[in-house]
Amino acid sequence: MHSENELQLAADVLVVGGGPAAAWAAWAAASQGAKVIIADKGFLGTSGAAAASGNGVMAPAPENWNKALWERYRAGQTLASLRWIERVLEKTWLSMPLVEAWGYRFPKENGESVRESYYGPEYMRVLRKNLLRSGVQILDQSPVLELLLAEDGSVAGARGLQRQHDRTYSVRAGAVVLANGGCAFLSKALGCNTNTGDGLLMAVEAGGELSSMEASSHYAISTAFNATVTRGVPFGWASFTDEAGNDLGGYINGRRDPLFLPTALLKGPVYARLDRATPEVKAVIEKSHFIAYLPYKKADIDPYTERVPVTMLLEGTVRGTGGIKLVDEHCATKVPGLYAAGDAASREFLAGLSSGGGGPNAAWAISTGQWAGEGAATFARRLGAHANERTAHPAGQVGLRSQATSSESFDSEAIVRGVQAEMFPLEKNFFRSEQGLLDSLAKLETLWEQLQTKPKQETVRDVEYSRRAAALTAVARWAYFSALHRKETRSGHIRVDYPETDPNQRYYLATGGLDRLWVRRDWISEAIATPPTPSTPPLSTKIASGAVS
């Protein structure tokens, strides 16, 4: 890994990632007076899922907070935390005016800004500009590959590669925030190919834990002729047919059955036509969901009159909820000095095992990014002026270093294909069973054994791809190992051999381990909440009185 021209830097806080959560974390840390470096795998502002299209934000006006609170809580099926949902709602609502002050132009209604959605490219451009204005040093095209640990087990920085300079680099830091996304297993879902689970692997290597990794089987609908755009809103006005043109139905009480499409696709090709869209809906699709309409436009297809084949793309933990386990309200992890935010962190407190995709995830990125950045800055400040003089060692192993004596290197592309063969098929990952999970885990273990041999490291790309193969394999193993141990169907986790939701399984599954995997039940102590009676003060009143922090 080491090169003679390695760039060596120092900061109080290092933020890993380049999406909204990372940007908010870096800004929050800098606002605390910390010297901050942020390192992104791509170009901060254009890489990642948020920059690829528009998105809603769970930031309703105060008079609508209670409604949003209980909708999100019910979606979590008793696993979400009412307290955390309240915190996210408040923090996000207070933060959106900052985005406007930094230069983002929200649409106006009756003279008031409507701040419940954003256009991704412009949103990220504004966040990047604000970071530069705040004195944050940005390292683009600089994937982080491993953490540095001090002798006492606390985080002391990280090391990575700079593609454009063909060199390694290291950042010594008092604290690190992992905000480099979840894992979509290189499915080509729009904006997700930078989300390969690197942060999850680094956290576990450092001694951290993951949680709710069974919530990693989220798929999204896409046109099959351009299988990348996973915006499902337009398909809410679609009719579905089979190869012969027979109507497949798929709606229950006017809403699409979430099990309909995966079930139908297992039987054969499925086609969609947006013939239920009214003229008003068409206008909304073509303007507000233009990224979803664009594939039709480029292919000269009229989606309202022509049938198109559809498929489902795995979005894994990007729209699922599994990730690094948070241990306090500042988004700290089990590892001293290590914090997590956004999709890299488990969103179980916000969503249980259901998808937090869209508005909830956007709000989670904004709020946890700030909490993690503030927490990291406070931790680094407590270490004092000599924090970066601590003796440190690199924590990365698999995909970076090997004890094998053989000179033969593993094929990282073949490893990735092997992982995808177990994670992509609906019959394996969406419809799960004990035997299916055991079969896939056996194959993933074989891939993990191959990764113990020598990684190819002739170029910086070789090093990056070898490490990426290790992260994808590791995340797949944790996901299926957790899924094996949750013997029920709950939200996005479907077990065909345990089709019912078990009220006695009200716990989070923590997991970790590298060569030897483990799971642990973390029972939820927060009582199951019920919607308030009319005499109960609304959430907006509670926040105004300081009851919610």
Side-chain angles (χ1 to χ4, degrees), residues 39-47 128 139-143 163 194:
D40 186 22
K41 182 185 291 188
F43 181 88
L44 192 152
T46 63
S47 66
R128 181 186 177 97
L139 303 180
D140 293 311
Q141 304 296 331
S142 302
R163 301 190 192 105
T194 55

Side-chain angles (χ1 to χ4, degrees), residues 56 119 230 504:
Y119 176 57
T230 55
N504 296 316

Side-chain angles (χ1 to χ4, degrees), residues 19 48 136 157 183 254 281 325 417 463 480 516 535 538:
V136 174
C183 185
V281 168
K325 183 176 180 62
R417 290 194 298 272
V463 177
Y480 277 177
R516 187 179 181 85
S535 61

